[in-house]
């Protein structure tokens, strides 16, 4: 399926084309979503460019992602998808800019595309070009990455608070710690994906900045490119900071878990030491020897109980006095 966007007096009109031979010549943006072979060929005839396959878009070499061919600029970036769910993922999107027309090829539904479509459908200049649409898309992608990082940072702070909360407020340790570890893992995965997306967008912006020197772009668009470069650099640094913070929180969480386990083991050790003297006394009087004077003592049984109780209390008191408990 693909959509064609044609400029009008006040907005960018969207049309879903069913007749592949009826593509409008004045289209400034052609958005290909899961395109078929026939749709690829129709767009290639209209725009005079080659549409990369899905396998080509997944190449990781820079030369396969950023290049020029027949006067068109090919730029493939990695964008975030489903970042609001528990299973975020990335997808490759190719931007093809040629003859003031933008062609996008994608196999998923990144949110910035819907946002830009809605924005341009409300208002845009009649003289809008593919370059302007591309700038809007890149700006929306960068804003989206910033929003994800802000949300992720706030959630990491909440996780950190849960780890370092006062001991009196802790309850259900094992279950809560398991949930916290899962949450930390998800935040780390999301942050790494956002950083991957920012790095790819930064390469696209740098590529555009390099090729724009020989193209007559407006001063505002050149300034916008510089602003995007600064934003991408700062967001990439912030993503790295969040990654380091997630690593710290994970180490702290594992340290807390180890402390809890040590406390449990210490408790069992103390109980074993406390019960050793009473067990020894009970073992002595459980021996089956004929000559044991205390066996016929009237007060032998209560005396043995008192001795066992004292033998248990004394070690416990020593542990408390040494502040080992």
């Amino acid at each position: 399926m693909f959509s064609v966007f044609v400029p009008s007096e006040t907005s960018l009109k969207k049309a879903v084309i069913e007749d592949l031979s009826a593509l409008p010549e004045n289209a400034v943006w052609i958005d290909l979503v899961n395109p078929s072979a026939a749709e690829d060929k129709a767009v290639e005839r209209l725009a005079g460019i080659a549409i990369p396959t899905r396998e080509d878009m997944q190449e990781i070499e820079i030369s396969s992602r950023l290049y020029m061919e027949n006067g068109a600029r090919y730029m493939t970036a990695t964008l975030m998808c489903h970042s609001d769910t528990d299973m975020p993922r990335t997808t490759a999107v190719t931007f093809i800019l040629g003859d003031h027309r933008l062609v996008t090829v994608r196999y998923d539904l990144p949110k910035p595309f819907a946002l830009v479509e809605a924005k341009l459908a409300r208002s845009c200049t009649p003289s809008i070009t593919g370059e302007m649409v591309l700038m809007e898309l890149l700006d929306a992608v960068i804003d989206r990455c910033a929003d994800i990082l802000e949300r992720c940072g706030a959630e990491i702070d909440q996780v950190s608070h849960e780890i370092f909360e006062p001991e009196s407020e802790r309850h259900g340790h094992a279950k809560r710690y398991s949930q916290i570890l899962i949450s930390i893992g998800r935040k780390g995965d999301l942050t790494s994906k956002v950083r991957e997306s920012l790095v790819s967008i930064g390469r696209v912006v740098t590529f555009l900045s390099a090729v724009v020197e020989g193209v007559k772009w407006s001063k505002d668009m050149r300034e916008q490119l510089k602003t995007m470069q600064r934003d991408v650099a700062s967001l990439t640094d912030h993503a790295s900071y969040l990654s380091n913070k997630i690593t710290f929180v994970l180490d702290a969480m594992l340290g807390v878990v180890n402390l809890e386990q040590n406390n449990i083991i210490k408790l069992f050790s103390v109980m074993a030491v406390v019960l050793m003297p009473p067990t020894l006394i009970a073992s002595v009087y459980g021996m089956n020897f004929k000559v044991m004077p205390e066996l016929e003592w009237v007060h032998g049984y209560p005396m043995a109980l008192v001795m066992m109780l004292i033998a248990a209390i004394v070690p416990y008191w020593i542990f408390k006095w040494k502040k080992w408990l």
Side-chain angles (χ1 to χ4, degrees), residues 251-263:
D251 292 341
M253 181 72 253
L254 296 177
V256 170
V257 171
N258 287 333
L259 286 176
E260 292 289 343
Q261 291 177 342
N262 291 339
N263 287 335

Side-chain angles (χ1 to χ4, degrees), residues 27 54 60 82 113 125 135 154 162 181 183 190 197 230 243 264 275 285 311 318 322:
R54 190 170 191 175
I60 62 174
H82 308 286
F113 278 76
T125 61
M135 299 297 283
E162 292 178 3
L181 285 173
S183 178
L190 180 60
S197 178
R230 290 193 296 268
S243 297
I264 294 173
L275 293 176
Y285 288 104
I318 293 174
K322 292 286 188 180

Side-chain angles (χ1 to χ4, degrees), residues 5 10 19 51 126 133 147 205 291 295 300 303:
F5 295 84
T10 59
D19 184 4
I51 303 298
V133 176
D147 293 340
V205 174
V291 182
L295 291 178
M303 180 59 69

Side-chain angles (χ1 to χ4, degrees), residues 204-217:
V204 169
V205 174
T206 302
F207 178 77
L208 275 177
S209 300
V211 300
V212 79
E213 298 301 329
V215 183
K216 294 181 179 179
W217 280 26

Side-chain angles (χ1 to χ4, degrees), residues 63-84:
S63 59
S64 300
R65 286 185 159 234
L66 305 170
Y67 60 93
M68 294 185 66
E69 185 178 286
N70 297 328
R73 293 179 285 278
Y74 290 75
M75 298 157 285
T76 301
T78 302
L79 305 187
M80 288 292 304
C81 286
H82 308 286
S83 59
D84 297 328

Side-chain angles (χ1 to χ4, degrees), residues 164-171 173 260 263:
F164 299 110
E165 67 183 0
E167 188 173 357
S168 59
E169 297 181 10
R170 298 179 185 176
H171 57 280
H173 293 178
E260 292 289 343
N263 287 335

Side-chain angles (χ1 to χ4, degrees), residues 139-152:
D139 192 46
V141 169
I142 295 171
D143 287 344
R144 179 62 176 164
C145 288
D147 293 340
I148 296 173
L149 288 178
E150 288 175 4
R151 189 187 76 226
C152 191

Side-chain angles (χ1 to χ4, degrees), residues 81-97:
C81 286
H82 308 286
S83 59
D84 297 328
T85 66
D86 291 335
M87 297 296 293
R89 62 174 181 264
T90 56
T91 183
V93 177
T94 297
F95 304 90
I96 308 172
L97 193 60

